Amino acid sequence: MPTQIHAQLTKTFRAGTARPLAYRRRQLLQLARMLQDNHVAFEDALIADLNRPRIESAIVDLGGSISAILTAAESLEEWAAPEERPAKDEWRAGWGGTIHKEPKGVVLIIA
């Protein structure tokens, strides 16, 4: 199953689907919604695995994650904007560069 999921995500990435900022924002907002819609299941899992109190899970783990996700969605344009870099050496003064921040591939995070 994980191999199939990875293959589908890789195919989607290579097709260029993940390139537009609107797609990335939508994915982030869907992640936040998943956490909100399933907060009881996540809290139950944290109770079972870590014996963490429900209120602590809700505030620290889920609330913190949702807040970080929403911040990322709001800051996406700023973070993805091209960044001008001046040349370091005087003899290359007209050769300044630009850093373009784009998705690099598919990752799986298991925490």
Side-chain angles (χ1 to χ4, degrees):
M1 180 76 156
T3 303
Q4 293 171 342
I5 294 170
H6 183 266
Q8 180 61 41
L9 291 173
T10 300
K11 179 180 175 185
T12 301
F13 175 78
R14 288 187 179 152
T17 306
R19 193 169 290 264
L21 292 180
Y23 176 84
R24 292 187 248 171
R25 180 179 298 98
R26 188 170 142 253
Q27 293 296 99
L28 287 166
L29 295 175
Q30 286 179 339
L31 179 60
R33 184 174 181 166
M34 178 196 66
L35 291 173
Q36 290 172 330
D37 290 350
N38 297 289
H39 70 91
V40 174
F42 283 107
E43 291 166 3
D44 290 344
L46 288 165
I47 289 169
D49 289 350
L50 304 175
N51 198 26
R52 183 160 301 172
R54 187 172 298 277
I55 190 71
E56 183 180 345
S57 297
I59 294 171
V60 176
D61 298 309
L62 299 174
S65 295
I66 292 168
S67 177
I69 291 165
L70 294 177
T71 298
E74 290 171 5
S75 304
L76 201 55
E77 283 85 8
E78 178 186 344
W79 294 347
E83 189 177 325
E84 297 293 325
R85 300 301 248 177
K88 290 186 177 186
D89 299 321
E90 189 175 321
W91 64 274
R92 294 189 289 179
W95 297 358
T98 303
I99 298 173
H100 294 275
K101 302 167 189 168
E102 297 186 7
K104 305 291 188 237
V106 176
V107 298
L108 171 63
I109 300 172
I110 301 174

